[in-house]
Amino acid sequence: MKILIIGADGQLGTDLCKVIPKAEQIPLTIKDIDITNRQQTLDAIKKYSPNVVINTAAYNQVDKAEEDSKLALAINRDGVKNVADACKAIDAAMVHISTDYVFDGKKNSPYVESDKPNPLSKYGKSKLAGEEVVRNSLDKYFIIRTTGLYGVAGCLEKGKTNFVDNIVKKETATVVDDERISPTYSYDLARKIDQLARTNKYGLFHIVNNGDCSWYEFAREIFKLLNRNPEKIVAGKIITKAKRPKYSVLANTKIKELGMDDLRPWQEALQAYLKEKEYI
């Protein structure tokens, strides 16, 4: 099997390169493929003729998208269409990464794949548009929604860092306590994507570490594992340009039905990450 990874130097892409056997992977970065360039995308994917294309490229600047929705759509919708069309041309399966931000957070119980999306932000709308492009373009696809992602490489758009790293660097921090998530270690997500992409169980999937917490509780757990005083993490309000769902907990319903939901609790995943980064 040949698996092409778009965004191989990003947070998720780096971990995909760890779990997919070297002999099977084709890692591409922005230097090799810019998904907003249609012809380059078509040519690059056709050149390698992979069995599976994993697209991790995305515009993830949630607040900036409120001011620059055209760029968000250019990458998260139009770029995705270019990748989907290239996959269709060579009959490759496509793995596309999406987000909890396609929901409005009003459900107050874990979202399952059949729940109707209703994004609050322009970023969320651009990601939902990308999902729709994949569904309308291909039969062989895996749309993966996840939330609260963190990994060793960090997010390129955010200076190669993530929420966990940012909290580790602080002595004290004010963190929102009115948004609940399912924080997810990108290594665990990558492992599950690799497993799923080798099947023909196409469709939409939620993949997160099990359990949920608020960003405030997440930060306190980081301090606890670092043997710092969790009381140094303070709950507070943070004003942002983009509206965020108050409840972003996802349920791994579809992969559980396939007998593949062996993702560890978020607390165990966090501890593993802190050890890998040698914070503990």
Side-chain angles (χ1 to χ4, degrees):
M1 177 174 277
K2 290 195 294 183
I3 302 175
L4 188 148
I5 306 163
I6 299 175
D9 57 344
Q11 185 164 245
L12 178 57
T14 296
D15 282 329
L16 284 164
C17 290
K18 292 178 183 176
V19 301
I20 297 172
K22 296 295 182 185
E24 296 184 6
Q25 63 179 256
I26 305 164
L28 302 183
T29 70
I30 187 66
K31 296 177 181 178
D32 307 302
I33 183 171
D34 176 357
I35 66 170
T36 65
N37 184 323
R38 181 172 176 81
Q39 195 58 53
Q40 184 194 54
T41 301
L42 294 171
D43 290 346
I45 292 176
K46 183 178 180 180
K47 172 185 175 182
Y48 293 105
S49 295
N51 305 104
V52 178
V53 175
I54 304 177
N55 177 41
T56 71
Y59 182 91
N60 293 317
Q61 300 281 10
V62 178
D63 290 320
K64 287 185 178 180
E66 293 299 306
E67 302 171 347
D68 197 356
S69 59
K70 287 185 178 180
L71 181 56
L73 287 168
I75 299 172
N76 295 343
R77 180 192 64 191
D78 304 338
V80 171
K81 181 68 163 64
N82 294 336
V83 176
D85 287 348
C87 288
K88 187 172 184 178
I90 63 169
D91 193 32
M94 179 176 176
V95 179
H96 177 65
I97 312 303
S98 193
T99 173
D100 56 298
Y101 278 46
V102 299
F103 295 117
D104 59 19
K106 296 179 180 179
K107 186 184 177 187
N108 291 323
S109 62
Y111 280 98
V112 298
E113 291 85 348
S114 59
D115 284 326
K116 185 177 179 180
N118 183 35
L120 300 175
S121 65
K122 292 181 180 179
Y123 164 75
K125 290 175 181 177
S126 74
K127 292 297 287 183
L128 180 59
E131 288 188 12
E132 292 168 348
V133 161
V134 174
R135 275 195 295 265
N136 293 333
S137 301
L138 298 169
D139 295 320
K140 295 164 61 175
Y141 68 82
F142 304 91
I143 296 172
I144 311 295
R145 291 182 186 144
T146 192
T147 174
L149 201 63
Y150 61 94
V152 170
C155 179
L156 292 178
E157 285 186 319
K158 298 174 183 177
K160 296 186 178 181
T161 189
N162 58 54
F163 179 83
V164 179
D165 291 343
N166 289 335
I167 293 297
V168 168
K169 294 172 186 175
K170 297 179 183 293
E171 294 299 324
T172 62
T174 299
V175 183
V176 294
D177 66 346
D178 60 348
E179 295 175 16
R180 296 196 73 79
I181 56 167
S182 304
T184 303
Y185 184 13
S186 58
Y187 180 84
D188 289 3
L189 175 61
R191 186 177 60 84
K192 195 53 54 180
I193 288 173
D194 178 47
Q195 183 181 356
L196 187 62
R198 297 175 186 278
T199 75
N200 62 355
K201 305 297 185 181
Y202 305 118
L204 168 66
F205 297 86
H206 292 174
I207 303 180
V208 294
N209 281 115
N210 279 292
D212 65 271
C213 60
S214 68
W215 287 106
Y216 167 70
E217 291 167 339
F218 190 28
R220 283 176 62 94
E221 184 68 14
I222 295 168
F223 263 39
K224 177 182 174 183
L225 290 170
L226 293 171
N227 288 319
R228 298 182 191 169
N229 183 2
E231 299 303 323
K232 294 291 186 178
I233 302 296
V234 180
K237 301 288 184 181
I238 298 176
I239 299 174
T240 59
K241 291 181 180 179
K243 289 185 178 180
R244 288 160 165 77
K246 297 296 185 183
Y247 189 91
S248 284
V249 180
L250 303 181
N252 295 331
T253 305
K254 293 284 288 295
I255 60 169
K256 187 174 184 179
E257 290 173 357
L258 296 176
M260 294 169 60
D261 184 18
D262 59 352
L263 284 108
R264 51 190 160 182
W266 68 265
Q267 297 94 332
E268 290 182 17
L270 173 61
Q271 185 172 33
Y273 173 77
L274 294 174
K275 286 181 179 178
E276 182 172 4
K277 291 279 285 194
E278 297 184 347
Y279 291 135
I280 59 175

